Every structure is written in structure tokens, then in C-alpha cells.
Amino acid sequence: MVAMAMSMAVAANAATKSSAHGYPITPVPFTSVKVLDNSFWGQRLETSRRVTIPLAFSRCETEGRYKNFERATHPSKDYDIEKLMPFSFDDTDPYKTIEGASYILQTYPDKKLKAYIDSVLDIIGAAQEPDGYLYTARTQNPWHPHPWSGDKRWVAEEDLSHELYNLGHMVEGAVAHWQATGSRKFLDIAIRYADCVVREVGPKAGQACVVPGHQIAEMALCKLYLATGNRKYLDEARFFLDYRGKTSIKQEYSQSHIPVVEQSEAVGHAVRAAYMYAGMADVAALTGDSAYIKAIDRIWDNIVSKKIYITGGIGATSNGEAFGPNYYLPNMSAYCETCAAIGNVYVNYRLFLLHGESKYFDVLERTLYNGLISGVSMDGGGFFYPNPLESMGQHQRQAWFGCACCPSNICRFLPSLPGYVYAVNGRNVYVNLFLANHSELNVAGRKVALSQETQYPWNGDIAIRVGKNTAGRFAMKIRIPGWVKGQPLPSDLYSYTDGKRLGYTLTVNGKAVDPATTPDGYCTIDRQWKNGDVVRVHFDMEVRTVRANNKVEADRGQVSIERGPIVYCAEWKDNDFNVMNSLINQAPSFSLSTMSYDPFIADSLKTRLSLYKAQKLTTLSTQAQTLAFDAQGQLTTKAVSMNLIPYFAWAHRGRGNMKVWIAQDVKAARPATQASLASEATIASSSPSPTLMSIADGLVPADEADRSMPYFHWWPKQGGTQWITYTFKERKEVKSATVYWFDDQPWGGCKVPQSWKVQYKDVQNQWQDVAADGPYPVRKGQACTISFAPVTTAAVRLMVGQPEKYSCGLFEWIVK
Ligand SMILES: [Zn+2]
């Protein structure tokens, strides 16, 4: 089973023999591709194996994930499920971690790990109800299940129960475990639950006619169909797609606003969306139904031309963790969930398998090297949920999250990465990613050994060696990346300011070959290959500046900087000036240096890891200015040398400013302003938080929908009175206060306050209310100003009455 030619990402090839349909292009499974240890990805795979996956398992223990399964074996009315289980999808954390660990097992056999997974599966299996239903949010206490679960099976599925989301991750984990170990232990559990779903959920009389509230079961059931050959799973996946938009809940949030084949724009929750598009591709490939493909092609076009960040991140807004309107790509508030980046890889990979064009890998590669791996620290022990492109230090990697979707998704994605390097279609061999590896491919039923030597992404030289070849003649199709061909992405959303196509060359055994590409984007070398043949690929790698389409308001007048597939950022730690106030030269030149990984690896993890020591980051520096207004209001500039690091390496060395898009036009620059009463004060609050400083940063929202600047809130503290104080260095006269309230209704937990007032410290150090000129105004997203009889005081205090069951927050508190 171990060497079974069924990729974890898409098991298309297993079907091609037994059915008329399947993806035209066959994946080369990750088990056939051994990434070399001392390489960029070798280091990432080591962190995954030695840090992330063990950490995820230990979190499953300490966060009570296994306890949910244990309690489900003896249900009780006494269990307060909401307290015991924060989210109705908590069971998926173990499923996803087992999936990642299974991939690891295939490359690094480990008896202890295998036995540990077995013991977890004992706990999981025992929680299954006799008819196969496995959903501990209900089974633990069917009388009072989790508040999201609904009072009966499936009734809340399209809302928040996640019963089918749990099924999806269970199946994905189970198939991976079966492939890795040959054991049917997890697979049989998943089949029992899938059979229960097929019996109870569907369009027939007596069935619950519901579709998944959170997609993933669509692609998982395709995998289960391929693993078992049982067509009913494919039919169920198809039902989930065909009935979307035709059942009770119709909303963009879950892409159920209209039937999927009628959709043309990426909308709603970005992870749900990406998983659905991936599922549509799978069902289309397996059934030959082209209506799905036409819809995903349209949606893909919408994403790459209007809704994707330069980092490959998708999902612009925290408002529903969703795609925003076309060209809405704010940087500091960019959501770009790590899971959505993973979903974006899934979608683009499947579209490549369908269409065979290199442009899908251009999107995939950009996402992979930037907005995806930024989601996990270089030592594997810290995670980002959102991956913003600008920060004032309010974003920090965390060791885990209450909602652990992203870390556990990283667990299952990274070990599967080697499966994305090659693909085969008849006698065509695709070389899609450049990374050091040894591999064995199946070409027209014969074995072909291939290996790559390269320092990519740090330089553009790749040697591809042919080893033992029993297939004779085949066409090696080498992807010429979009960044070489002068296109950051296959659309007009971004463009290189130099307008250049970079040079590149290919040789076979030292002899130049025609580098021209075919319309599919590949350079094809079709010949009789012998053991020892070497293809050398060279891509010129230059530092380039990128401009966004002018319709992207957030990036106007600014450039992002990249080299090869890597997007760079300016971070506080490498610069002795505030990067927020900087302006890059009109025609910047760049110099390259390297930096060791050492400062990016937590001391506590250094003993567990060894491969980082041989790795180096390529860093950049360039000439820039910092801008500031002096006391007379005159703009002053200072020449500085700006240092840049790869975006994925940000937020490893403490809190501070970071920027991907750097101002190049004066009008886009943000000169430092003169200090204000607030910015010079010591700020304290009833809830200490690193974001507290943002209320005195001079940045205010443009309107009530604008959430692009940093803010502070008291969430999850609800109701009651909260406070903030400004303590001045010396007594100051104060006579007015202006607050910009933060309100993220209808999605979030913050509302404008029920009431608020300003107090000052009198000479006896007692807080007194100011004598306000009128009622305190409460308006969303606008200046709420109150004037009062002047006071001379050492401190002022903002008293905030929070609405019942809601929290309050603010962008800015200005005092004058
Ligand atoms: Zn996530």
C-alpha cells in the first residue's frame, strides 16, 4: 500500500484504470519524491516532522481534544459541551494531525509514532455511534449538544454544526493513514461515518436534504471513492455540489447564494470557497462534467485578476473571513488566512491537472513561497492565522489557537509538498517546482529516475539529472515561471515596473536547446533520454519592483519588491528608522546579502532541529528616505539604507513595524507626524494588549466600512465598564476628546458603546467627570467629539460602557 500510486492531494490516477474519467494529468505522489535534507524545503520538512506535528499532537492532549471522544463513549446530561468543547469542529484537529503524521510515516518510518496514532484511533473509534455517526459535539450529550449542533442530526449543518466538515477531514486523514500504513483501522471508521451520511443525507424522501455548511467533504468523498471504488461516495459529493444554492440557506458567505455552476465571482468565506472549487474540479474530473470546470475557470480568472495579494494570499477581509469586492486588497487588515492559502494551492494544482498549463503553478508557487509558509514560523513552532502585508506590531505568531484550523492544516500540507514537484501525462513529464530531490516516476508504465540539484529560490540554476530510465523517449516539460516571463501573476493585477522579460537558458549535456515555450507555458525537451543526461536550467534572477493595477487603492503609489519567487518586506528589526514613514527611490538599485537562519529559530527548538544551520536567507538593501513633518509643519527627509527580508521570515524577532508595499510616489508616503498629547502619553487599559498603542497612532478610518488601520478592542470581555488612561509626563490642559469607535457588526463581537465619558485626575489624584458641553455622540466609523470645560491634569480616562453581550473597541482616541 505504501507505494500505491495515489497522491494525497488528488487520487486521480487510481481511477484512470477503473473508470473512463479522471484527471488527464497524473500526479507523481510525494512518496516518490525525496526532498534532500540540506535544502530550503528539506529544512521545512524537518521542522514539520520534529516540531509542528509533535506540537499538534501534544495540543490535542492538553486542549482536551481526545477527552471529547472519551466522554462520547459514556454520554451524560451533566456535560456542558459549550465549556468542554469550544468549537463544533474540534474533532478535526486530531484528524488533520493524523493525516500529516501519516505522510511523515511514509518517508520516515517511525514505530513509536505509528503506535501513538493507533492509540488515538482507539479513542476515536470508541466514540462512534452504532450506526456510524461520529460527531462528539452531539454524542457526548445528545440532550444538550454543542449550541452550534442543532437539536437533531443535520438540522444545523448548513449553519454551524460542521458535521460534514468533520466527515471531510476524517476521510482525508483516514485515506492518508491507510495509504501510509496499510492498516484499515481509520479507513473503516471513516467508511462507517460516510455510509451513515450517504444513508441519511441526500435528495430522497426521508433523507435530510442539506449540503455542507463548510465545504471539504466534496473532495474527501472523491478520495474515498477512489480508495474504495464505491461509486456512492462520488454521487454524494456530486449531490453536495448540485444542491448547493437550492436548499434552505442561501448566502454568499458559504457560496450557496446561487447554484455552483452559475457562479463566476469568488465570494464569501475564502477557505470554504477554495475547498469547494477544489471539490468541483475533482467531481468534474471523475464524472467528465464540464459545467463545473467552466464555473471554476471563471472564478479562477476573477481571483487572479482581482482578488489575490502579491503574496498569493486570498480572503481580503476578516468580515466573514472572506473575499472582498474586486480590487479590494487592504494590507494591514488583509486576512489571508493560512488555510485559504493552502486551499488556493489545492485549487491551482487541480486546475493544472485538468488543463496542463504552467500558469496555475505560477499562482501556486507564489502562494507557496510567500503567503502560505508565512503561516508557520521557520522553526515550525509559531503560527499565523491571518497573514497581513503590513503591521505595526499588533500581529504576532502564536504557539497555537483556540480555533486551531491553521496549525493543523499546516501539519497536513507541508509533508505533502513533495507531491507537487512533478506530474506525468503519457510520455510528458512535467517539472513544475524547483527543489533539490531524488525521485522515481512512472512514465507510460516504466520507471524513470530524476533528480534536481538547486539552491532555488535563492538562485535560478537548476540541474535536472536523468538516472535509470526504462521509458526511453519522453518529453520533459520544464515550467518557465511567470516571474521570468515578465508576469507576476497570469493577469493584469500586478506588473513589473521594468517591463522586462528575464533571460533564461537550457542545455542538455552542455548543448544549448531551444528555450521557446509552447502555449501551455512549458519548454519541452523531447528526446531519447539516457542514464546520466543532465539538463541545466538557468533563470536570470534580478530584484524587481512590482506595481499593482491602479484599481487597487491600497497599493497606489507603492511598490512591492521581489526576487525570483520570493516577495520581500521591510521590517523594523533590520532598519534603524520607521519603515512606515519611508519612501523608496524612483529608480532603486539593490544589493544582496545573506543572513543565517539562527535568529529566526527559537532557542528552545534549536536542539530539536539541525538542518537550519546550513541554510541562509538572501536579504536585500536599497536607498530610501524617511519623511517627517517638523514642528513648523515642513516636510523633512533623510536618506537611509533600507534592508529587506523575505516576507515569510517576518515576525520572528519581536514586535514591530513591517511593510510589503513601500511608498515610491511622494503622495503615497506617510510622513511621521509631530508628537501629540496622546502619542506622548503612557497608555494603560482595563485589558492590557500590544494593540493598545494603535489608538494614538494618528491613523483614523476613512468611513464606517474602513477597517484597514489598527485598532484596539476589549473582546472577549463583554458588557460592563472598561477604561483606558493617558498619563502625561507633566500636567497638561485638555478641553476636547475625539474617539473613532470600532464596530465589526454583523460578524464580529464588537459594537459601538452603550455610553462613554471622559474623566480627569484632580489635584487630589481622584478621577472626576469632565464638564461636557453636551451629550456624548456615538457613531460608527466617524469622529465622535466631545468638548468640555478645560482641565489641567496629569491624566485623562476614557470610561466605556459596553453593550450587554458585546465588546467595544476603538481605532483612535485623540485628546486636545
Ligand atoms: Zn485556518
Side-chain angles (χ1 to χ4, degrees), residues 335-346:
Y335 203 65
C336 294
E337 184 177 339
T338 302
C339 290
I342 292 173
N344 199 23
V345 167
Y346 291 161

Side-chain angles (χ1 to χ4, degrees), residues 583-604:
L583 183 70
I584 196 170
N585 285 6
Q586 285 296 308
S589 59
F590 294 89
S591 55
L592 270 56
S593 330
T594 58
M595 199 191 263
S596 94
Y597 271 36
D598 201 67
F600 299 87
I601 307 291
D603 287 338
S604 59

Side-chain angles (χ1 to χ4, degrees), residues 337-365:
E337 184 177 339
T338 302
C339 290
I342 292 173
N344 199 23
V345 167
Y346 291 161
V347 174
N348 280 282
Y349 182 53
R350 284 160 167 82
L351 288 175
F352 159 76
L353 294 175
L354 278 172
H355 298 308
E357 290 178 52
S358 71
K359 63 183 183 183
Y360 300 109
F361 260 91
D362 291 343
V363 184
L364 192 157
E365 180 181 68

Side-chain angles (χ1 to χ4, degrees), residues 12-31:
N13 52 338
T16 45
K17 296 210 178 64
S18 58
S19 94
H21 300 290
Y23 283 102
I25 298 174
T26 306
V28 172
F30 72 96
T31 43

Side-chain angles (χ1 to χ4, degrees), residues 29-304:
F30 72 96
T31 43
S32 303
V33 182
K34 170 83 181 87
V35 175
L36 300 191
D37 276 353
N38 279 319
S39 67
F40 182 89
W41 289 105
Q43 186 270 336
R44 284 282 182 168
L45 292 175
E46 185 193 46
T47 63
S48 198
R49 186 171 78 247
R50 299 238 166 104
V51 177
T52 313
I53 288 176
L55 173 74
F57 276 133
S58 83
R59 287 291 176 159
C60 286
E61 291 175 19
T62 59
E63 304 298 309
R65 296 294 187 262
Y66 300 152
K67 284 271 185 298
N68 292 318
F69 293 98
E70 286 169 359
R71 275 189 298 267
T73 62
H74 49 280
S76 164
K77 286 183 176 165
D78 296 336
Y79 298 146
D80 183 346
I81 303 303
E82 192 174 9
K83 282 224 178 73
L84 295 166
M85 189 178 198
F87 297 101
S88 58
F89 48 82
D90 282 348
D91 292 352
T92 61
D93 291 344
Y95 303 157
K96 288 155 86 180
T97 311
I98 290 173
E99 183 181 342
S102 298
Y103 299 148
I104 294 278
L105 279 180
Q106 301 200 18
T107 328
Y108 301 92
D110 180 339
K111 279 192 185 136
K112 240 171 93 183
L113 178 59
K114 191 165 169 288
Y116 177 84
I117 296 173
D118 261 347
S119 70
V120 175
L121 290 175
D122 286 337
I123 299 169
I124 292 172
Q128 191 156 35
E129 296 191 17
D131 68 354
Y133 187 73
L134 180 36
Y135 177 75
T136 71
R138 184 183 318 282
T139 308
Q140 293 182 67
N141 182 350
W143 305 275
H144 297 285
H146 192 281
W148 290 1
S149 301
D151 57 0
K152 287 204 298 279
R153 287 182 188 182
W154 324 119
V155 295
E157 171 55 37
E158 292 187 4
D159 190 13
L160 283 170
S161 80
H162 291 84
E163 285 151 293
L164 299 173
Y165 176 79
N166 280 17
L167 169 75
H169 275 301
M170 186 193 298
V171 167
E172 296 256 331
V175 172
H177 180 258
W178 168 65
Q179 287 181 264
T181 62
S183 155
R184 292 187 59 96
K185 193 168 182 171
F186 197 9
L187 187 66
D188 286 338
I189 295 170
I191 286 174
R192 281 196 292 273
Y193 187 23
D195 288 349
C196 167
V197 168
V198 170
R199 265 194 320 273
E200 298 190 6
V201 180
K204 291 189 211 121
Q207 286 185 308
C209 189
V210 296
V211 298
H214 191 316
Q215 298 89 327
I216 191 178
E218 299 81 355
M219 51 176 163
L221 288 171
C222 288
K223 235 178 236 189
L224 192 59
Y225 158 60
L226 292 167
T228 61
N230 196 330
R231 175 95 196 177
K232 68 179 178 182
Y233 304 122
L234 177 60
D235 293 341
E236 188 77 2
R238 184 159 193 159
F239 159 73
F240 288 161
L241 290 171
D242 284 347
Y243 274 70
R244 201 165 200 85
K246 298 175 188 166
T247 57
S248 62
I249 292 190
K250 295 179 179 66
Q251 54 180 7
E252 287 195 347
Y253 173 71
S254 56
Q255 299 78 37
S256 56
H257 52 306
I258 49 173
V260 298
V261 291
E262 292 170 25
Q263 298 187 21
S264 301
E265 183 175 348
V267 293
H269 190 277
V271 181
R272 290 165 204 247
Y275 286 4
M276 182 175 89
Y277 308 148
M280 285 161 72
D282 286 349
V283 172
L286 291 167
T287 60
D289 185 332
S290 61
Y292 288 138
I293 301 172
K294 286 187 189 134
I296 326 163
D297 286 349
R298 291 192 303 266
I299 294 166
W300 179 86
D301 196 59
N302 173 249
I303 295 173
V304 299

